[in-house]
Amino acid sequence: PPAPPHAHPTHQIPRTAPAPHPWCAAMQPEAHAAHRPEIDGLRAVAVLAVLIFHLNRLWLPGGFAGVDVFFTLSGYLVTGILLRSKDLGTFSLADFWQRRLARIFPAFFAMAVTTLTVAFFLYDDWDLASTGAAFTAALSAWANHHQLSLGGYFSLSDDTQPLLHTWSLAVEEQFYLLFPLCFLGRSSASPRPVSYTHLTLPTTPYV
């Protein structure tokens, strides 16, 4: 139907979409390359190796190497994100770290709250305090060093250390924290192509 006489479409105020919440924006796609199905395949093999190792170490004694595969894939993918965002001129440390937090911490908190709730009803005071200390270390991305101070991953009992697996998460978080800083320092110091080896060497003492 025709517009009423008093309506003037050309004088209408244009509507703009509201800016997304920072945490919603953090879940949007990054400067990724095309999908790599072979990487998904490597992830599946790594997960399967770790699962078999934890079911029975004799079935696949070297299955824990699947964690190393994940670390390698993470380094490869994050380096690609950093290089592409730098080439596009869109790289931001705050944005990078916010995206990592948005991807990691919701699942971490859900797992940690569930674990602490169950531990409250099952553990004695000593084991509950130990679990609380492990949670604090995991929350501060220091779980690997905390567990190392207690004797190491394979010497601790997973019956009394339900957050034992968070050591690998701490390593990944430390990588996310330090690697972009090394990337910025190395790329700003020299206009030459950035070497992945030169970037990762400064972060190895924290792993």
PDB file of all heavy atoms in Angstrom, residues 1-5:
ATOM      1  N   PRO A   1       0.839  -1.209   0.000  1.00  0.00           N
ATOM      2  CA  PRO A   1       0.000   0.000   0.000  1.00  0.00           C
ATOM      3  C   PRO A   1       0.863   1.244   0.000  1.00  0.00           C
ATOM      4  O   PRO A   1       1.968   1.258   0.552  1.00  0.00           O
ATOM      5  CB  PRO A   1      -0.798  -0.145   1.297  1.00  0.00           C
ATOM      6  CG  PRO A   1       0.049  -1.008   2.164  1.00  0.00           C
ATOM      7  CD  PRO A   1       0.705  -1.978   1.242  1.00  0.00           C
ATOM      8  N   PRO A   2       0.386   2.365  -0.580  1.00  0.00           N
ATOM      9  CA  PRO A   2       1.205   3.584  -0.612  1.00  0.00           C
ATOM     10  C   PRO A   2       1.385   4.155   0.776  1.00  0.00           C
ATOM     11  O   PRO A   2       0.562   3.978   1.677  1.00  0.00           O
ATOM     12  CB  PRO A   2       0.371   4.519  -1.486  1.00  0.00           C
ATOM     13  CG  PRO A   2      -1.028   4.017  -1.358  1.00  0.00           C
ATOM     14  CD  PRO A   2      -0.926   2.534  -1.221  1.00  0.00           C
ATOM     15  N   ALA A   3       2.545   4.827   0.961  1.00  0.00           N
ATOM     16  CA  ALA A   3       2.867   5.413   2.261  1.00  0.00           C
ATOM     17  C   ALA A   3       1.949   6.581   2.531  1.00  0.00           C
ATOM     18  O   ALA A   3       1.505   7.271   1.609  1.00  0.00           O
ATOM     19  CB  ALA A   3       4.328   5.872   2.270  1.00  0.00           C
ATOM     20  N   PRO A   4       1.568   6.834   3.785  1.00  0.00           N
ATOM     21  CA  PRO A   4       0.717   7.984   4.116  1.00  0.00           C
ATOM     22  C   PRO A   4       1.410   9.274   3.747  1.00  0.00           C
ATOM     23  O   PRO A   4       2.637   9.344   3.652  1.00  0.00           O
ATOM     24  CB  PRO A   4       0.519   7.846   5.635  1.00  0.00           C
ATOM     25  CG  PRO A   4       1.632   6.959   6.102  1.00  0.00           C
ATOM     26  CD  PRO A   4       1.921   6.043   4.969  1.00  0.00           C
ATOM     27  N   PRO A   5       0.625  10.370   3.529  1.00  0.00           N
ATOM     28  CA  PRO A   5       1.206  11.625   3.044  1.00  0.00           C
ATOM     29  C   PRO A   5       2.262  12.211   3.975  1.00  0.00           C
ATOM     30  O   PRO A   5       3.192  12.858   3.524  1.00  0.00           O
ATOM     31  CB  PRO A   5      -0.026  12.545   2.934  1.00  0.00           C
ATOM     32  CG  PRO A   5      -1.194  11.626   2.854  1.00  0.00           C
ATOM     33  CD  PRO A   5      -0.845  10.424   3.629  1.00  0.00           C
TER      34      PRO A   5
END
